[in-house]
Amino acid sequence: MKIGPQTHRSSSISASNEQTILVRGRDLASELIGEATFTDYFWLLLTGAMPSPAQRRLLDATLVAIAEHGLVPSVVASRVTLAAAPEALQGAVAAGILGCGSVVLGSAEAAGRFFTQIAQRAEQGMLQQDAVAAVVREYRAEKRTIPGYGHPLHKGQDPRALRLFEVAAEVGLAGQHVAIARSVERALPDLVGKALSLNVSGAIPAVLLDAGYPLLALKGVPILARAGGLVAHLLEEQQRPIGFVMSGAAAAAISYDGPAPAGFKPSDEASGGA
Amino acid sequence: MKIGPQTHRSSSISASNEQTILVRGRDLASELIGEATFTDYFWLLLTGAMPSPAQRRLLDATLVAIAEHGLVPSVVASRVTLAAAPEALQGAVAAGILGCGSVVLGSAEAAGRFFTQIAQRAEQGMLQQDAVAAVVREYRAEKRTIPGYGHPLHKGQDPRALRLFEVAAEVGLAGQHVAIARSVERALPDLVGKALSLNVSGAIPAVLLDAGYPLLALKGVPILARAGGLVAHLLEEQQRPIGFVMSGAAAAAISYDGPAPAGFKPSDEASGGA
Amino acid sequence: MKIGPQTHRSSSISASNEQTILVRGRDLASELIGEATFTDYFWLLLTGAMPSPAQRRLLDATLVAIAEHGLVPSVVASRVTLAAAPEALQGAVAAGILGCGSVVLGSAEAAGRFFTQIAQRAEQGMLQQDAVAAVVREYRAEKRTIPGYGHPLHKGQDPRALRLFEVAAEVGLAGQHVAIARSVERALPDLVGKALSLNVSGAIPAVLLDAGYPLLALKGVPILARAGGLVAHLLEEQQRPIGFVMSGAAAAAISYDGPAPAGFKPSDEASGGA
Amino acid sequence: MKIGPQTHRSSSISASNEQTILVRGRDLASELIGEATFTDYFWLLLTGAMPSPAQRRLLDATLVAIAEHGLVPSVVASRVTLAAAPEALQGAVAAGILGCGSVVLGSAEAAGRFFTQIAQRAEQGMLQQDAVAAVVREYRAEKRTIPGYGHPLHKGQDPRALRLFEVAAEVGLAGQHVAIARSVERALPDLVGKALSLNVSGAIPAVLLDAGYPLLALKGVPILARAGGLVAHLLEEQQRPIGFVMSGAAAAAISYDGPAPAGFKPSDEASGGA
């Protein structure tokens, strides 16, 4: 039984034999290890070419911007999982990565698609501000959130977004997508009735698309970055464990409102065991 | 390049063609759907034979015993993950299952291995109580926990363990492993200096090994059972979301004790975003 | 920082104290273990009420129907993962569950939403066949697949779908959604230009929605069922490992078409190690 | 109910308020974004201090060395998962990371512990070669594999291991652990009866421990690196899908050897659907 597409039967990323590992056509041992930074190498893996210094600095800036923000949901899931299953660090990292979803960390990709739609209209001859208004109105008509704007903590400007735009300008890569991102921010009060600042998940796709980073790999930036942050949290979890404290506090914040026999009294601390 | 064992190239679980799906030699559509319960079928998948009514009732009892215990760590991880990534229910279930580890839910397997070691000594002619003492002492010498005993909440008898032993007796399947589990419980005060009651993760392998359930699939019981419990929590999470409340409470229970510039004051609620 | 909805702070699934574990208002040890089947209990966890015998038989039938179909993608991912990480059975189950996605196993949920849209139009007074035509045309206009129809192997009737409809009729629960599912099958040749038979992922939501199973938990049925099938495969993988054989065969089916230095020759067996 | 350690209730990684995100005491926006490379930042997250140029270059070298090696098991699991569940890139990355286990990628950590045990004996006054012999003999007595030596493809020297040792020497960080790793390689023919070359998973901990990288985060290096490689494979999977081809080839390599009714003939291509 054959399911799904069967047209492709090749890959262009890597090949090897007993002496050599080839990655994107380069000899891994002699040309890349010790020469490329990990960020260079990630760009090479994705695109087949080494980044320019400007591209590398921008990609580094976005990875640094999104790797860590304290005990956010993905970190809670990850540390709780290591506490329960310390034999598998990879499982705890995976549990954290599974929280890079459409609501919390994956909005970088959604914002990238949003900016791209606006850019396509502009390329077809529409004025940028008209393209912004048209696409924002379509999102509103479909009751979709405008991705990349607003933040529960950083209610003024998200300092990470501001800094990413500065870096893009410094390295000379700020272009159409950055301009669109700013244009949306200016237009939102009129279009949706309140001011919403660009957040880090909006700034990342704006600067990366201007730098030539591939749209379909945008979600890979928060995922890769967060993998780094999770490893640091899991090192701390091994040394100063808080996973079960967090799990217990989470349970204690929730009361039981289902049926119960007369006189049943739940424990003060709601839960934690198995 | 070939890694790992290459000797086996066959599987005996299932085969199919355009008309028929064969599972363990039976026609899925005509012999199993509508005839077997899911618990029957799980036993058939594992062993190649249908369970007796006694075996089925015992397996059902263990699955029911371990499926749900409120907002335990695996449920916290799972609901937090769905809140962040509602587009992938499978990811939230996976995040919860990753917490079925050696500390929290996977101890059923460790307890099964522990009882099996005692049973093997007894089969080699040692008196059961001597076998218990010998194996407990080896675990202590290696500083390993005695798996299957003690519980943070149910400090007296774990009501689930007691009930599983009753069911095993009712269906006539209580045997050597149940006897060993009881014998360990009686011996622990002398051997380790404190009384520890058998918990549900000790009772499950005792009754299942007596029923002929395979040792190497013991961890599958809490994993499968918990998958059912997680689906129920994720249905509730879609209808009455508490994932972000739990994540916020988890973060708020933890303070920051790293370096900070003079005058820096963290937000009251420590975290939650991205 | 508070993200996401904060309105709910309670759960109605389970509560406990030192003596008692309460699930949906019932005493787990005295009322459920040894009394309820796992399928009963899953229904109770989801809905708060025990199923009727007819509902239980139907839910069992759907779980049996979808638990196992040989070395499908999710099983390949799971067995390969256990081969690489035998210390964490839960990780291998999780890897398999992550493949219960929109393309392969999660279409049960999509089909359930599709049938529900048709049912809503019919409830608003449209003739059923008109409602079918209207919703199918909308899916086609949005270039969406009609979920629940067609199968790469079972090109005639999917024997599992046929049998599920028989069971629904036997237990007297076949109703509006089953009728809609059949009506769509009859209408497809005219509406989309080719005959496509109902598959198992279309039959499952049809019979379950008629039985009163909750729409938002439909994807839980293939996920829970597949968890059972995966545990059986992982038992076999421990006893007769084929994970690395499968991984090697997968790699050997793909050639390298990227750049390479003159004279570079990849190994015959493309890969497998680290 | 309280489970597990409850002594720690703080974390030293990150804190934030409306204006500032603090990471390891530094202002993320003004001190780190655009200044630190992602590799610098990963080291800072782990250790609380910025790496020296030598430490950074070595960490980059190890991440580059292990990020990618073609269609290895973790990549097969990941691409197959994206094919089945394209709505959740994070799920496909997680499935791949779950294969960073004790057999395939996690042996870097095991090798780090092995070298550390030898180093501890040497620090207690044993001659290095005696410490090597003693620890190797203990592993053999416990029937444990010597981690970090031998490779299924690179049967002579693993070119990545050689290059990592060169880089460690170039940056002046090669020390005791590199010396131990070499010493083990020289001693293995006598101690285990055959020559086994150091592989990349042995070289990574040797050079990183000499550089001051924390032992308990060693497994994080292959996990983080592989996350990068997986994102590249998943970008290619979106553009030129091979997931279902690989899954079908994996299934086709395995025959069914279970019971079957007379005349049953499995399909030529064993599997693929649901």
Side-chain angles (χ1 to χ4, degrees):
Chain A
M1 162 175 36
K2 294 196 158 99
I3 53 170
Q6 302 279 330
T7 37
H8 301 291
R9 294 186 164 260
S10 60
S11 169
S12 63
I13 297 176
S14 179
S16 56
N17 61 29
E18 199 173 326
Q19 290 76 37
T20 307
I21 300 165
L22 213 63
V23 177
R24 292 292 193 181
R26 294 166 198 242
D27 186 305
L28 173 59
S30 67
E31 295 180 69
L32 296 166
I33 298 174
E35 307 302 320
T37 74
F38 181 50
T39 302
D40 285 331
Y41 190 56
F42 180 53
W43 186 285
L44 173 68
L45 282 166
L46 287 171
T47 66
M50 291 295 278
S52 70
Q55 288 171 321
R56 179 211 303 145
R57 188 158 166 235
L58 209 45
L59 179 54
D60 268 321
T62 59
L63 290 165
V64 169
I66 197 66
E68 172 61 28
H69 197 294
L71 300 170
V72 294
S74 59
V75 172
V76 172
S78 183
R79 292 186 75 148
V80 160
T81 301
L82 192 74
E87 72 277 17
L89 193 84
Q90 73 272 22
V93 175
I97 284 175
L98 288 169
C100 296
S102 56
V103 173
V104 171
L105 278 159
S107 45
E109 186 193 17
R113 292 184 188 278
F114 169 67
F115 298 145
T116 300
Q117 288 175 46
I118 296 170
Q120 285 168 345
R121 311 261 174 128
E123 277 154 25
Q124 290 159 6
M126 204 181 264
L127 283 179
Q128 193 182 79
Q129 63 191 53
D130 296 342
V132 165
V135 175
V136 169
R137 287 204 185 97
E138 286 170 20
Y139 272 61
R140 300 281 288 174
E142 298 166 13
K143 298 187 191 306
R144 298 168 65 185
T145 308
I146 305 301
Y149 292 84
H151 194 277
L153 174 59
H154 308 293
K155 291 185 198 300
Q157 298 288 317
D158 183 330
R160 299 166 293 180
L162 292 177
R163 181 66 186 128
L164 286 176
F165 276 16
E166 285 176 13
V167 177
E170 285 169 30
V171 301
L173 285 176
Q176 183 189 18
H177 297 90
V178 166
I180 288 170
R182 288 201 159 115
S183 179
V184 170
E185 196 179 47
R186 282 190 304 270
L188 280 179
D190 276 354
L191 292 170
V192 311
K194 64 175 164 176
L196 286 169
S197 297
L198 188 76
N199 63 33
V200 69
S201 293
I204 287 174
V207 301
L208 286 179
L209 290 172
D210 276 345
Y213 183 95
L215 172 65
L216 295 176
L218 274 177
K219 207 173 178 180
V221 168
I223 289 175
L224 176 62
R226 201 45 64 106
L230 290 169
V231 169
H233 277 282
L234 295 172
L235 173 61
E236 192 185 65
E237 183 66 25
Q238 292 177 77
Q239 296 169 327
R240 302 199 300 161
I242 56 170
F244 287 132
V245 171
M246 290 199 294
S247 174
I254 306 299
S255 59
Y256 175 69
D257 65 359
F264 175 82
K265 194 171 169 307
S267 303
D268 282 354
E269 289 109 31
S271 191
Chain B
M1 161 176 38
K2 293 196 159 98
I3 54 168
Q6 302 280 332
T7 39
H8 302 292
R9 294 187 165 259
S10 60
S11 169
S12 62
I13 296 175
S14 179
S16 56
N17 60 29
E18 200 174 325
Q19 289 76 36
T20 308
I21 300 164
L22 214 62
V23 176
R24 293 293 194 180
R26 294 166 199 241
D27 186 304
L28 173 58
S30 67
E31 295 181 67
L32 296 166
I33 298 173
E35 308 301 321
T37 73
F38 181 49
T39 302
D40 285 330
Y41 190 58
F42 181 51
W43 187 284
L44 173 69
L45 282 166
L46 289 170
T47 69
M50 291 294 280
S52 69
Q55 288 171 322
R56 179 210 303 145
R57 186 157 166 233
L58 210 45
L59 180 53
D60 269 319
T62 58
L63 289 165
V64 169
I66 198 67
E68 173 59 29
H69 197 297
L71 299 170
V72 295
S74 58
V75 172
V76 172
S78 183
R79 292 186 74 147
V80 161
T81 302
L82 191 74
E87 72 278 17
L89 192 85
Q90 72 271 21
V93 175
I97 283 175
L98 289 168
C100 296
S102 57
V103 172
V104 171
L105 279 159
S107 44
E109 187 193 17
R113 293 184 187 278
F114 169 66
F115 298 146
T116 300
Q117 288 175 47
I118 296 170
Q120 286 168 345
R121 310 260 174 127
E123 277 155 24
Q124 290 158 7
M126 205 181 263
L127 283 178
Q128 192 183 82
Q129 63 189 54
D130 295 344
V132 165
V135 176
V136 169
R137 286 203 186 96
E138 286 170 19
Y139 271 61
R140 300 280 288 176
E142 296 166 15
K143 299 187 192 306
R144 296 167 66 184
T145 309
I146 306 300
Y149 293 84
H151 194 277
L153 174 61
H154 309 292
K155 290 185 197 302
Q157 299 288 317
D158 184 329
R160 299 167 293 179
L162 293 176
R163 182 65 187 130
L164 286 176
F165 276 17
E166 285 177 12
V167 176
E170 285 169 30
V171 299
L173 285 176
Q176 183 189 19
H177 297 90
V178 165
I180 287 170
R182 288 200 158 115
S183 179
V184 170
E185 194 179 48
R186 283 191 303 271
L188 281 180
D190 277 356
L191 293 170
V192 312
K194 64 174 165 176
L196 287 170
S197 299
L198 187 76
N199 61 34
V200 69
S201 293
I204 287 173
V207 303
L208 285 180
L209 290 172
D210 277 345
Y213 183 95
L215 172 64
L216 294 176
L218 275 176
K219 206 173 180 179
V221 169
I223 289 174
L224 176 61
R226 202 45 64 107
L230 291 169
V231 170
H233 276 283
L234 296 172
L235 173 60
E236 194 185 64
E237 182 67 24
Q238 292 176 77
Q239 296 169 325
R240 301 199 298 161
I242 56 170
F244 286 132
V245 171
M246 291 200 293
S247 174
I254 306 300
S255 58
Y256 175 70
D257 65 359
F264 175 81
K265 194 172 168 304
S267 304
D268 283 353
E269 288 108 31
S271 190
Chain C
M1 159 175 40
K2 294 198 158 100
I3 54 169
Q6 303 278 332
T7 39
H8 302 291
R9 294 187 165 259
S10 59
S11 169
S12 62
I13 296 177
S14 180
S16 55
N17 60 28
E18 199 174 326
Q19 290 77 36
T20 307
I21 300 164
L22 214 62
V23 177
R24 292 293 193 181
R26 295 166 198 241
D27 186 304
L28 173 59
S30 67
E31 295 181 68
L32 295 166
I33 298 175
E35 307 303 320
T37 74
F38 181 50
T39 302
D40 285 331
Y41 190 58
F42 180 52
W43 187 284
L44 173 69
L45 282 164
L46 288 170
T47 67
M50 292 293 279
S52 70
Q55 288 170 322
R56 179 210 303 144
R57 186 156 167 235
L58 210 45
L59 179 54
D60 269 320
T62 59
L63 289 165
V64 169
I66 197 67
E68 172 60 29
H69 198 294
L71 300 169
V72 295
S74 58
V75 172
V76 171
S78 183
R79 292 186 74 148
V80 161
T81 301
L82 191 74
E87 73 278 16
L89 193 84
Q90 72 273 22
V93 175
I97 283 174
L98 289 169
C100 296
S102 57
V103 172
V104 170
L105 279 158
S107 45
E109 188 194 16
R113 292 183 188 279
F114 169 66
F115 297 146
T116 300
Q117 289 176 46
I118 296 170
Q120 286 167 344
R121 311 261 174 127
E123 278 154 24
Q124 290 158 5
M126 204 182 264
L127 283 179
Q128 192 183 79
Q129 65 190 52
D130 295 342
V132 166
V135 176
V136 169
R137 285 204 186 96
E138 286 170 21
Y139 272 61
R140 300 280 290 176
E142 296 166 15
K143 297 188 194 304
R144 296 168 66 186
T145 308
I146 305 301
Y149 293 84
H151 194 277
L153 174 60
H154 308 292
K155 290 184 198 301
Q157 298 287 318
D158 184 329
R160 299 167 293 181
L162 292 176
R163 182 65 188 129
L164 286 175
F165 276 16
E166 284 177 12
V167 176
E170 285 169 31
V171 300
L173 286 175
Q176 183 189 19
H177 297 90
V178 165
I180 288 171
R182 287 202 160 113
S183 178
V184 171
E185 195 179 48
R186 280 191 305 270
L188 282 179
D190 276 356
L191 293 169
V192 311
K194 64 175 165 175
L196 286 170
S197 299
L198 188 77
N199 63 33
V200 69
S201 293
I204 287 173
V207 302
L208 286 179
L209 291 172
D210 277 344
Y213 184 96
L215 173 64
L216 294 176
L218 275 176
K219 207 173 178 179
V221 169
I223 289 174
L224 175 62
R226 201 45 64 103
L230 290 169
V231 170
H233 276 283
L234 296 172
L235 172 61
E236 193 185 67
E237 183 66 25
Q238 292 176 77
Q239 297 169 325
R240 301 198 301 160
I242 57 171
F244 287 133
V245 171
M246 290 199 295
S247 174
I254 306 301
S255 59
Y256 175 70
D257 66 358
F264 174 81
K265 196 173 166 305
S267 303
D268 282 353
E269 288 108 32
S271 191
Chain D
M1 163 175 37
K2 294 196 155 101
I3 55 171
Q6 302 279 333
T7 37
H8 302 292
R9 294 187 164 262
S10 60
S11 169
S12 62
I13 297 177
S14 180
S16 55
N17 60 28
E18 200 175 324
Q19 290 76 38
T20 308
I21 299 164
L22 213 63
V23 177
R24 294 292 194 181
R26 294 166 199 242
D27 186 305
L28 173 58
S30 68
E31 294 181 69
L32 295 166
I33 297 174
E35 306 303 320
T37 74
F38 181 51
T39 302
D40 285 331
Y41 190 57
F42 180 53
W43 187 285
L44 173 68
L45 282 165
L46 288 170
T47 68
M50 291 295 279
S52 70
Q55 288 171 321
R56 179 211 303 145
R57 185 156 168 234
L58 210 44
L59 179 53
D60 268 321
T62 59
L63 290 166
V64 169
I66 197 67
E68 172 60 29
H69 198 295
L71 299 170
V72 296
S74 58
V75 172
V76 171
S78 183
R79 293 186 73 148
V80 161
T81 301
L82 191 73
E87 72 278 16
L89 193 84
Q90 73 272 23
V93 175
I97 283 175
L98 288 169
C100 295
S102 58
V103 172
V104 170
L105 279 160
S107 44
E109 186 192 17
R113 293 184 187 277
F114 169 68
F115 297 146
T116 300
Q117 289 176 46
I118 295 170
Q120 286 167 344
R121 311 262 174 126
E123 277 154 26
Q124 290 158 6
M126 203 183 266
L127 283 179
Q128 191 183 80
Q129 65 190 52
D130 294 343
V132 165
V135 176
V136 169
R137 285 203 186 96
E138 287 171 20
Y139 271 62
R140 300 280 287 175
E142 297 166 14
K143 298 188 192 306
R144 296 169 65 185
T145 309
I146 306 301
Y149 293 85
H151 194 277
L153 175 60
H154 308 292
K155 291 183 198 304
Q157 299 288 317
D158 184 329
R160 298 167 293 180
L162 292 176
R163 181 66 187 128
L164 286 176
F165 276 16
E166 285 177 11
V167 176
E170 286 168 29
V171 299
L173 285 176
Q176 184 189 17
H177 296 90
V178 164
I180 288 170
R182 289 205 158 110
S183 179
V184 171
E185 193 178 50
R186 282 191 304 271
L188 281 180
D190 276 356
L191 293 170
V192 311
K194 63 175 166 175
L196 286 170
S197 299
L198 187 76
N199 62 35
V200 70
S201 293
I204 286 173
V207 303
L208 285 181
L209 291 172
D210 277 345
Y213 183 96
L215 172 64
L216 294 176
L218 275 177
K219 207 174 178 178
V221 169
I223 289 174
L224 176 62
R226 200 47 61 107
L230 290 169
V231 170
H233 276 284
L234 295 172
L235 172 61
E236 192 185 67
E237 183 67 23
Q238 292 176 77
Q239 297 168 325
R240 301 197 301 159
I242 56 170
F244 286 132
V245 170
M246 291 200 292
S247 174
I254 307 300
S255 58
Y256 175 70
D257 65 359
F264 175 82
K265 195 172 168 303
S267 303
D268 283 353
E269 288 108 32
S271 192

